[in-house]
Structure formats: C-alpha cells, structure tokens
Amino acid sequence: MTNPIPDTSRRRLLFGGTAIAAGALLTACTSNEQTPTPAQTKGADDTNPNAAAGKAVTIGFSAPAADHGWIAAITNNAKAQAGAYKDVTFKQVEAGKDAAAQRAALDTLIAEKPDVIVLLPHDGKELNAFGLKAMEAGIPVVNLDRAFPDALAYRLQIKGDNYGMGVAAGHYIGKALKAKNVASPIIGEIAGMDELELTQERSAGFKAALATYGFAVANRRAARFTADSGQKEAQNLLQALPKIDAVWNHDDDQGIGVLAAITAANRSEFFMVGGAGSKKAIEDIAADKTVLKATVTYSPSMASSAISLARLIAQGRGMSDLVELQVPKEVILASETITKENASTYLKLGF
C-alpha cells in the first residue's frame, strides 16, 4: 500500500479528539458484485514504511447487508484492502436486518477478542453502546460512516463529509441557476433516510449553500437509499411540482429509480445533481443524455482506508507521512463535484 489514506489532499484530518426505458433504468445495477479497482484500494508498496509487514493482527468487520451498490462496495473494498496485507486476518460478522441484530453479532465478536473492529453500524446512535463496550474491553473501534455520538465509543472515526456534500450540491445548483439568470427557481430535493443524522447533515448543507444565492428548496422528499423508494418519491415530487428548475437527489443508487420516474413522466425541463459517485451515474453524466449533470462524491473507498488505519492502530504504528506517532482520531473525506468535464478522471473511483 502506498499510503494508508490515499490522496490526502482530498481529506481533512482532525487530530486528538441516456434516454433509456424507465424499466431498464430501474433494473440497472450500480455494480453490487464489482471487484474494487486499484484506485479504490491500495496494495502493499515496499517504498512505504507503513506497508512493511508488522505484528499479525485480526480485524473484525461488520456492515449492513449489500442492499445497494454503495454498501456492497464498502464490504468489497474492506475485504480487498485486508487481502493486500500478509499480516492481517479479516473476520467479518453479519450485521443482520437491524441494529439489534448487528449488536448481538458484534457481542460474539468481542468474545473472540480481535485486535481491532471496523464497524459501519445500521445506526450510529443505536450502536454507540457497543462501541463503548468494545473500547472498555480494550478493543479499538474504527467507526465507519454512520457516526457514534460519543467520542469515547471509538478510537478512530472515518466518514464522508455529509454537510459538505450538501454544500457542494447547493453551490453547483446555485451557480448554474445564476448563470441561467433564473431569479426564483423551483428546486426539489430527494433525500435519503430521514432518521439518519447523515441525511439531516446533507440537507442542512444544501439549505445553507442555496441560501447564499437567495434560493431555497420548494419541495423535499425522503427516500430510503433504494431504487424503488427513489422512484416513488420522485413521482411524488414531479406530481407536486409541475415545473422544476433543479433537483438534488442525495444518493446515486436511489437515483436509478429517480431517473426512471423522470423518464416515465417525460420531464426534462430541469437538471439534476446526484450523490455518492456511482459508476453508472458518472457514465450518465459523461454521456450527457439525461437530466443528470453532476454528482457529489461520498466514496466507499473510505472502507479501504478504514482497514488500513485499523491495521496501524492494532500494530501500534502511526502514519509514515505524519509527524505524530499515532493514527489521527478523525478522518473526514471531502465531497468533490463530478461533471461532464471531469467524469473521465473520476470514473475509476465509481462503484
């Protein structure tokens, strides 16, 4: 591995603490079975001191079942990254259908005493108690994506910048509408699961960025990060707004359903921004044949970095390119904007 956190210019470290049929759109896949590309993981590299074999460690891992492309990519990336190290044993436990099932499975993992646990919880608040329990048992926890509210529940928290994701989407839409001289635009928003803090953060960032242009969301719907729910909520949005200027859809996986609804309704008077950076979304943006003109990243490559950093934590090592002797407490990935102009550069990172 050349660097445990690839391309650090895209992260903030906090120390201490086409026009196709609607049916075809809906059944399109965001690559649940796709093998991670070299750009999504980092193999061992003899030129990097961190890649040198160290103490053999066991990394426990749990993430919700692969119900959509992003989650599938999280698990695939984690497995691939662990496989890059000869000194890592990767032990995955099933997360079950909800937080309670995941917690029960994780309790058995504690009993097996892995050296470190990497956990993407069903819900950060509901699994916070597990984080505390593991930490108290002397097992460092790497909290991935859905955040624990208590800093004592994790040794490292690594996630995407949800608020920044909304800000990036808001600025893209705001600038585009200003360039078109649209004075009072009708803007729609299709969020993800409203009970998750990450969804609330994304909407807050979007609202704040739009406000800097004097704009606001006219109609907001909450889907469930799935194509079916995206289609349903997009239908509701389109029915509620006979004219639209722009839409932000939080998630590219549910965006398959959103685009299906838009195609079925024969609506094309607006442009849309997606979220996360799926391979299909990037390809659609590059082809420029749908209303989707951009997406803001929330890359599942964070799982690769989580495994790399968990390994270093378990081995008592820091990051070779930092002065500090220990791995940072928090890593937040910046959200980047993918457009037709730069889609070819980002395609390798699509999931």
Side-chain angles (χ1 to χ4, degrees), residues 46 54 132 137 177 214 241 268 288 290 314 333:
D46 291 338
L132 290 169
L177 293 173
L241 300 176
S268 61
D288 197 19
T290 73
L333 286 70

Side-chain angles (χ1 to χ4, degrees), residues 18-20 25 28-31 34 37 252 256 259 276-295 338-351:
T18 122
I20 62 178
L25 266 171
C29 176
T30 51
S31 306
Q34 180 182 356
T37 69
D252 289 333
I256 294 172
L259 283 174
S278 75
K279 185 172 182 288
K280 174 167 175 50
I282 299 173
E283 289 173 338
D284 284 347
I285 291 166
D288 197 19
K289 294 180 180 179
T290 73
V291 297
L292 183 63
K293 303 304 178 185
T295 189
I338 303 176
T339 64
K340 180 181 179 180
E341 289 70 28
N342 63 12
S344 60
T345 299
Y346 283 93
L347 185 59
K348 62 186 178 184
L349 291 174
F351 57 91

Side-chain angles (χ1 to χ4, degrees), residues 10-147:
R10 300 208 302 265
R11 290 158 172 83
R12 176 162 62 92
L13 303 181
L14 305 179
F15 300 96
T18 122
I20 62 178
L25 266 171
L26 191 58
T27 57
C29 176
T30 51
S31 306
N32 282 19
E33 304 302 326
Q34 180 182 356
T35 300
T37 69
Q40 295 167 344
T41 58
K42 291 289 182 180
D45 182 349
D46 291 338
T47 65
N48 175 22
N50 282 338
K55 180 184 74 171
V57 298
T58 296
I59 300 178
F61 177 82
S62 181
D67 57 353
H68 69 290
W70 192 90
I71 286 288
I74 282 285
T75 298
N76 290 342
N77 286 347
K79 288 180 179 178
Q81 190 62 58
Y85 301 116
K86 295 180 180 179
D87 53 14
V88 169
T89 296
F90 184 79
K91 185 172 184 58
Q92 181 180 358
V93 296
E94 297 300 326
K97 65 178 182 179
D98 54 25
Q102 186 175 29
R103 186 162 52 244
L106 287 166
D107 283 339
T108 64
L109 184 60
I110 287 183
E112 295 180 26
K113 298 181 179 180
D115 295 285
V116 61
I117 294 174
V118 176
L119 169 62
L120 194 161
H122 273 284
D123 184 289
K125 292 180 181 178
E126 293 192 38
L127 268 297
N128 185 80
F130 167 80
L132 290 169
K133 181 177 180 180
M135 291 289 287
E136 290 170 358
I139 304 174
V141 175
V142 175
N143 178 203
L144 177 60
D145 183 42
R146 299 172 184 174

